[in-house]
Amino acid sequence: MSVTHCHTHKERHFAASDTVRDLVLGMADGLTVPFALAAGLSAANVASRVVVVAGVAEIAAGAIAMGLGGYLAARGEIDHYHSERSREFREIRDLQREEEREIVDIFKGYGLDRTACEPILAHFRKDHEAWVDFMMRFELGLETPQPGRALRSALTIGGAYIVGGLVPLAPYMLIDRLQPALSVSMVCTGLALALFGAAKGRFTGVSAWRNAVQTVLIGGLASATAFLLAHWISAA
Amino acid sequence: MSVTHCHTHKERHFAASDTVRDLVLGMADGLTVPFALAAGLSAANVASRVVVVAGVAEIAAGAIAMGLGGYLAARGEIDHYHSERSREFREIRDLQREEEREIVDIFKGYGLDRTACEPILAHFRKDHEAWVDFMMRFELGLETPQPGRALRSALTIGGAYIVGGLVPLAPYMLIDRLQPALSVSMVCTGLALALFGAAKGRFTGVSAWRNAVQTVLIGGLASATAFLLAHWISAA
């Protein structure tokens, strides 16, 4: 029973990891960068309206740039997979001895000799499709890409960025005066970063507390730097 | 000869890919988001100085958030690797039959039966270290993490973001009037995006032209959206 459970867990962990990575990618930057930008502009003492304009422009640009970037990265991985696959087929057809030596080399790395690989080689000589599948995973370390992954990745990253970015910006939309808006934004964003960090920690199996503290520290460091630089430039 | 060359190529491709991915990640966003933010603020007709303040704040925040985010992601991968490795050691010690079945299952996926795996199983029973190494790579698909990777990743992403972000911002630093600064910034950033896209395409083995066009289109789309949203808000 416990073994079955443990396996299910592993597989679930694997299937979810791409989406979680995308969510984390978009949400972490979405919470941090618009908040730091707003804090920086507050230091320069601009009108609250300017903070909202800059914030909305940044959120839109960030969501599109990261979302489309994620789309193209995923498309690129799919193209790469297929071009490597065609190459493996060619190499197995044209350079069979070399490819056999590659299999033996892989197993040699684990202390096995050619004799131990012989049944595998004999099988692959009759089944090139299986041979290519084996090389893709065990020589090149490439997984079969999931269909629809590119679009899902783009929407997850972009959506998470927008949701994250609206947390620090909403107070500036609702409160006209700069200083109270900054204070409310700091509290909301600090809480959101802590919750997000803790959730991320839980999901990836590291300490929730440690992750919450780390995430808040990154947000704080980015914002403090943006604040000080903006203050320094606008005073100069 | 050609085979040796082809192998060297493969390995080079693999060793470089992490750094290239980090460079691309930082540079793509660094060129796009500060440019779009500046364009958006230009639409709201703020002072040129405000664009510079907002741009510097954004670049600092973005570089720190993405750089530290990359650092923590790489650290997380290292922790994950070590915790999975300890678990594999425990499982091989406590649930040896289950782990043997897992090896047979892996090879079954390529059309091999238990008899073909027997020499491998016999070897692994005597060498648990090799067995764990094999499971890490072939069951879980995890590579041994490179030492120093986390820090290198952080500096590469953050540095690329700063370099990228200064391209669209420099014209606003040097030119006082908003409209000419925006025009110069558009030309510089457009060229930089095209060059960056082409270089990325060359490196990842896809068409340089196609990549150049894609990268410019993403930057254009992000900026146009930021511009229109900012225009709409500041007119409202």
Side-chain angles (χ1 to χ4, degrees):
Chain A
M1 266 312 277
S2 86
V3 173
T4 319
H5 172 74
C6 149
H7 271 229
T8 323
H9 172 76
K10 262 185 208 169
E11 279 157 28
R12 185 155 50 86
H13 185 96
F14 255 47
S17 70
D18 277 345
T19 306
V20 172
R21 211 185 51 196
D22 288 343
L23 265 179
V24 167
L25 200 68
M27 182 72 77
D29 277 20
L31 280 168
T32 308
V33 182
F35 174 61
L37 173 65
L41 283 171
S42 304
N45 223 7
V46 300
S48 186
R49 186 188 59 88
V50 173
V51 176
V52 174
V53 171
V56 169
E58 209 282 339
I59 291 172
I64 291 172
M66 288 189 79
L68 282 183
Y71 179 84
L72 291 182
R75 289 278 344 152
E77 273 172 32
I78 293 170
D79 292 348
H80 181 63
Y81 181 87
H82 290 298
S83 86
E84 291 289 334
R85 204 177 151 82
S86 313
R87 185 159 86 177
E88 281 301 329
F89 264 114
R90 278 198 309 277
E91 287 183 358
I92 285 170
R93 192 190 57 208
D94 302 337
L95 306 159
Q96 187 158 333
R97 275 164 175 283
E98 268 308 317
E99 291 294 311
E100 288 186 11
R101 195 178 313 168
E102 284 181 5
I103 293 185
V104 176
D105 282 346
I106 291 172
F107 286 106
K108 227 179 234 164
Y110 301 96
L112 290 149
D113 58 9
R114 196 182 169 97
T115 322
C117 308
E118 207 42 73
I120 297 174
L121 296 177
H123 171 70
F124 282 162
R125 275 180 214 118
K126 290 175 300 183
D127 186 347
H128 283 197
E129 188 87 27
W131 192 347
V132 168
D133 286 341
F134 182 87
M135 297 311 267
M136 291 305 287
R137 180 121 164 73
F138 294 149
E139 187 203 9
L140 301 173
L142 297 173
E143 311 271 345
T144 320
Q146 299 162 27
R149 158 117 178 77
L151 185 63
R152 209 164 50 243
S153 183
L155 295 176
T156 310
I157 297 175
Y161 196 92
I162 293 172
V163 171
L166 287 176
V167 172
L169 204 61
Y172 292 91
M173 292 170 166
L174 302 172
I175 303 169
D176 254 359
R177 283 173 48 230
L178 212 54
Q179 286 314 314
L182 176 60
S183 307
V184 176
S185 178
M186 268 172 76
V187 174
C188 295
T189 311
L191 279 175
L193 281 169
L195 277 175
F196 163 70
K200 190 181 104 185
R202 263 205 106 91
F203 213 98
T204 52
V206 261
S207 150
W209 275 105
R210 207 180 96 188
N211 247 283
V213 172
Q214 277 178 346
T215 320
V216 174
L217 281 182
I218 293 182
L221 187 62
S223 312
T225 310
F227 188 91
L228 290 175
L229 274 172
H231 190 76
W232 177 67
I233 296 172
S234 56
Chain B
M1 265 314 275
S2 87
V3 174
T4 319
H5 172 75
C6 150
H7 270 230
T8 323
H9 172 77
K10 261 185 207 168
E11 280 158 24
R12 184 155 50 86
H13 185 96
F14 254 49
S17 71
D18 276 345
T19 306
V20 171
R21 210 186 51 194
D22 288 344
L23 265 178
V24 166
L25 200 67
M27 182 73 77
D29 278 20
L31 280 169
T32 307
V33 183
F35 174 62
L37 173 64
L41 283 170
S42 304
N45 223 8
V46 300
S48 187
R49 186 188 60 87
V50 172
V51 176
V52 174
V53 171
V56 169
E58 208 282 339
I59 291 172
I64 292 173
M66 288 189 78
L68 282 182
Y71 179 83
L72 292 182
R75 289 277 345 152
E77 273 172 32
I78 294 171
D79 292 349
H80 181 63
Y81 181 86
H82 290 299
S83 87
E84 291 290 334
R85 205 178 149 80
S86 313
R87 185 159 85 176
E88 281 302 328
F89 264 114
R90 276 198 310 276
E91 288 183 357
I92 285 169
R93 193 190 58 208
D94 302 338
L95 306 160
Q96 186 157 334
R97 274 164 176 285
E98 267 309 314
E99 291 294 310
E100 287 186 15
R101 194 179 314 167
E102 283 182 5
I103 294 184
V104 176
D105 282 345
I106 292 172
F107 286 106
K108 227 178 234 166
Y110 300 96
L112 289 148
D113 58 9
R114 198 186 167 95
T115 323
C117 308
E118 207 42 74
I120 297 173
L121 295 177
H123 172 72
F124 282 162
R125 275 180 214 121
K126 290 176 298 183
D127 186 349
H128 283 195
E129 188 88 25
W131 192 348
V132 168
D133 286 341
F134 182 87
M135 297 310 267
M136 290 305 288
R137 181 123 163 72
F138 295 150
E139 187 203 8
L140 301 174
L142 296 173
E143 310 273 345
T144 319
Q146 298 162 29
R149 157 115 179 79
L151 186 62
R152 209 163 52 242
S153 182
L155 296 176
T156 310
I157 296 175
Y161 196 91
I162 293 172
V163 171
L166 287 176
V167 172
L169 204 60
Y172 292 91
M173 291 171 166
L174 302 171
I175 303 169
D176 254 1
R177 282 173 50 233
L178 213 52
Q179 287 312 315
L182 175 60
S183 307
V184 176
S185 177
M186 267 171 78
V187 174
C188 295
T189 310
L191 279 175
L193 281 170
L195 278 175
F196 163 71
K200 189 181 104 185
R202 263 205 106 91
F203 213 99
T204 51
V206 260
S207 150
W209 274 105
R210 206 179 95 186
N211 247 281
V213 172
Q214 277 179 344
T215 320
V216 174
L217 280 183
I218 293 183
L221 187 61
S223 312
T225 310
F227 188 90
L228 290 175
L229 274 173
H231 190 76
W232 177 67
I233 296 174
S234 55

